[in-house]
Amino acid sequence: MSSLGIFGVTGLPEITAGMDLAEMIHASAAEQGDPLADGDIVIVTSKIVSKAEGCTVELADITPSEFAERWSAKWEKDPRVTEVVLRESKRVIRQIGPVLITETHHGFCCANSGVDQSSSGAAGRILTLPVDPDATCRAHRARFAELGVDVAVIMSDTFGRPWREGQTDIAIGIAGMNPLFSYIGQTDPHGHEFHVQEICTADELAAAGELVKGNTSRVPVAVIRGFDWERDDTASMAPVLRDSERDLFR
Amino acid sequence: MSSLGIFGVTGLPEITAGMDLAEMIHASAAEQGDPLADGDIVIVTSKIVSKAEGCTVELADITPSEFAERWSAKWEKDPRVTEVVLRESKRVIRQIGPVLITETHHGFCCANSGVDQSSSGAAGRILTLPVDPDATCRAHRARFAELGVDVAVIMSDTFGRPWREGQTDIAIGIAGMNPLFSYIGQTDPHGHEFHVQEICTADELAAAGELVKGNTSRVPVAVIRGFDWERDDTASMAPVLRDSERDLFR
């Protein structure tokens, strides 16, 4: 595993609810001269999945709670957006100043439950995260298989993190490959157990994919070729989501 | 920026103090048929820098404090290692059960101040992080320039993070390019400000590099080719290290 290539898939149309994303990605990759191949890892930005799955909320339909109203007024935020952020969360991790960091129903810890006001394509409409990203990735992987290619699928989103400025892309859904690579029980050439115990390969692949996607350009899909992964059709993001009992920062 | 390549540099000897790492990387890349080229980003694992710079501690020379003794006894740790971890830190962020998460003198938040018992090459000796990773990266970049190539240099280490299992490679030093890419003030095709404000490109590049390095194989250097970066010889990791006043998790 000492060489790999990453390219973006361009030419997708504006995504609307009900579209067959996997079919469109497969076709666009072929059209640009980079047809998908067995062993590829296809990294799909969550926002196009949200659009394809109709994960949009019309703000006109939202009645904010008193809690959402009061906090939003204090920080000059739209209380209807705050209400959606709270509905998308199972708990608030930090609510300090204008910052609202939550744990989503899926178990992702991030700002504003991953709710995205900038990409919905219309004023007064916001995007929420896909309901079951692993299930979407499995469906895409199955669809790619129907189209003739055996690929892993990762869904990515752009999250902040404690301690460090700047956001990075991480994995929120996966199919076909395990998100973690374990060194537990292995020893290095000096006979010591590894300092590193487990690498979150899925997050590193998502981060690598962002390097060709960018956020201004319309490149919502990246393909990583040449990475050696083991097929595992039971894979999900579950082992990456640390139990809150084991976590020191919730 | 829609296609890039990543490869590992193999064939480096076991690193010892005083070696000219940049020269060896330059030579090894050429020998394996992948000579470095202008515009490449060279990602160097911190542990070989620690070795080249002699950042090793002989445990026999360490007298643990009473604090280190007592906590280590409780959790069956080597009190001399604990003592080094504390010396390498400017504060303890979490000390819960056997876990010790610290902020290093550089400002990195990580387990055990980045002290590494597994890679020193000898029992009774441990590796500490390089003293000034940005300065090392600048020196390597300058040395690569002497050897005829204009490359950016990133030093990587493998860190855990809150909320998610599995470690990922991140950047701890940089030279030649800014670690952050900002979208602040830009608007998307719908006229909204970006949801994503700033991407930590340096961390994504370090993560991508890990995909060809691995921790079992002896591939301590990765090269990323085809990524478009702007020359900035004032660059450092400083803007990535969030002020503790702005941080919600320290």
Side-chain angles (χ1 to χ4, degrees):
Chain A
M1 63 169 199
S2 74
S3 165
L4 52 87
I6 312 182
F7 59 88
V9 177
T10 55
L12 292 174
E14 185 68 31
I15 308 300
T16 55
M19 281 183 172
D20 181 346
L21 270 187
E23 197 283 328
M24 290 195 304
I25 293 166
H26 186 267
S28 291
E31 266 162 48
Q32 75 183 37
D34 295 313
L36 295 182
D38 289 347
D40 285 349
I41 301 168
V42 179
I43 300 174
V44 182
T45 304
S46 72
K47 78 171 71 165
I48 64 168
V49 176
S50 294
K51 288 179 181 179
E53 296 185 348
C55 301
T56 54
V57 176
E58 300 296 333
L59 290 180
D61 298 339
I62 299 295
T63 308
S65 68
E66 201 182 314
F67 174 69
E69 285 279 10
R70 205 158 34 206
W71 183 76
S72 303
K74 181 165 179 188
W75 298 104
E76 296 179 0
K77 288 170 177 277
D78 185 329
R80 300 168 304 172
V81 176
T82 303
E83 181 63 29
V84 177
V85 168
L86 292 169
R87 286 184 194 178
E88 293 289 312
S89 74
K90 64 181 170 196
R91 69 159 119 179
V92 173
I93 296 174
R94 292 286 190 281
Q95 188 170 17
I96 299 178
V99 177
L100 186 48
I101 296 173
T102 58
E103 180 175 341
T104 68
H105 295 297
H106 328 77
F108 305 128
C109 300
C110 58
N112 302 318
S113 306
V115 165
D116 184 354
Q117 242 185 308
S118 70
S119 312
S120 63
R125 180 184 300 160
I126 60 180
L127 281 182
T128 55
L129 289 181
V131 174
D132 187 345
D134 285 328
T136 301
C137 290
R138 282 194 298 269
H140 284 186
R141 173 164 155 75
R143 183 79 180 103
F144 284 123
E146 286 176 6
L147 297 165
V149 287
D150 177 25
V151 299
V153 178
I154 289 174
M155 193 187 303
S156 68
D157 203 333
T158 309
F159 280 10
R161 59 266 169 90
W163 308 329
R164 292 171 81 86
E165 301 291 347
Q167 295 175 288
T168 60
D169 270 23
I170 59 157
I172 66 167
I174 198 163
M177 66 179 288
N178 200 296
L180 297 169
F181 181 85
S182 178
Y183 290 98
I184 294 168
Q186 297 188 45
T187 54
D188 72 10
H190 309 298
H192 290 100
E193 281 194 27
F194 278 97
H195 175 57
V196 172
Q197 298 205 300
E198 239 176 4
I199 292 285
C200 187
T201 310
D203 284 348
E204 294 190 331
L205 289 162
E210 199 285 322
L211 296 169
V212 300
K213 290 194 293 189
N215 276 270
T216 41
S217 51
R218 289 185 174 235
V219 186
V221 177
V223 176
I224 298 187
R225 182 165 292 168
F227 187 79
D228 191 25
W229 50 280
E230 222 172 289
R231 272 70 183 161
D232 178 356
D233 274 310
T234 68
S236 79
M237 288 305 296
V240 176
L241 305 180
R242 184 173 290 153
D243 281 348
S244 58
E245 292 70 34
R246 267 177 51 76
D247 189 59
L248 308 179
F249 299 94
R250 252 176 289 180
Chain B
M1 61 168 200
S2 76
S3 166
L4 53 87
I6 313 182
F7 59 89
V9 176
T10 56
L12 292 175
E14 185 67 31
I15 307 300
T16 55
M19 280 183 171
D20 181 345
L21 271 186
E23 198 283 330
M24 292 194 305
I25 293 165
H26 187 266
S28 292
E31 266 162 47
Q32 75 183 37
D34 295 314
L36 295 181
D38 288 348
D40 284 351
I41 301 169
V42 179
I43 301 173
V44 182
T45 305
S46 72
K47 74 169 74 163
I48 64 167
V49 176
S50 293
K51 289 179 180 179
E53 296 185 349
C55 301
T56 55
V57 176
E58 300 296 332
L59 290 179
D61 298 340
I62 299 295
T63 308
S65 67
E66 202 182 312
F67 174 69
E69 284 279 11
R70 205 157 36 208
W71 184 76
S72 303
K74 180 165 180 187
W75 298 105
E76 296 180 359
K77 288 171 177 276
D78 185 330
R80 300 167 305 173
V81 175
T82 304
E83 181 62 28
V84 176
V85 169
L86 293 170
R87 285 185 195 177
E88 293 290 312
S89 75
K90 64 181 169 195
R91 69 159 118 180
V92 171
I93 296 175
R94 292 287 190 279
Q95 187 171 17
I96 298 178
V99 178
L100 186 50
I101 296 172
T102 57
E103 180 176 341
T104 68
H105 294 297
H106 327 80
F108 306 128
C109 300
C110 58
N112 302 318
S113 307
V115 165
D116 184 355
Q117 244 184 305
S118 71
S119 312
S120 64
R125 181 185 297 160
I126 59 180
L127 282 181
T128 56
L129 289 180
V131 174
D132 187 343
D134 285 328
T136 300
C137 290
R138 282 193 297 270
H140 285 186
R141 173 163 154 77
R143 183 78 180 102
F144 285 122
E146 285 175 6
L147 296 165
V149 287
D150 177 25
V151 299
V153 178
I154 289 174
M155 192 187 305
S156 68
D157 203 334
T158 309
F159 280 9
R161 58 267 170 89
W163 308 328
R164 290 170 83 85
E165 301 290 347
Q167 295 175 288
T168 60
D169 269 22
I170 58 157
I172 65 168
I174 199 163
M177 66 179 286
N178 200 297
L180 297 170
F181 181 84
S182 179
Y183 291 97
I184 295 169
Q186 298 187 45
T187 53
D188 72 10
H190 309 298
H192 290 99
E193 281 193 29
F194 279 96
H195 175 55
V196 171
Q197 297 205 301
E198 236 176 5
I199 292 284
C200 187
T201 311
D203 285 347
E204 294 190 331
L205 290 162
E210 200 283 325
L211 296 169
V212 300
K213 291 195 292 190
N215 276 269
T216 42
S217 51
R218 289 184 175 237
V219 186
V221 177
V223 176
I224 298 187
R225 183 165 291 168
F227 187 78
D228 191 25
W229 49 280
E230 222 172 288
R231 272 69 183 161
D232 179 356
D233 275 309
T234 68
S236 79
M237 288 305 295
V240 176
L241 306 180
R242 184 173 290 153
D243 281 348
S244 57
E245 293 71 35
R246 265 176 53 78
D247 189 59
L248 308 180
F249 298 93
R250 251 177 291 182

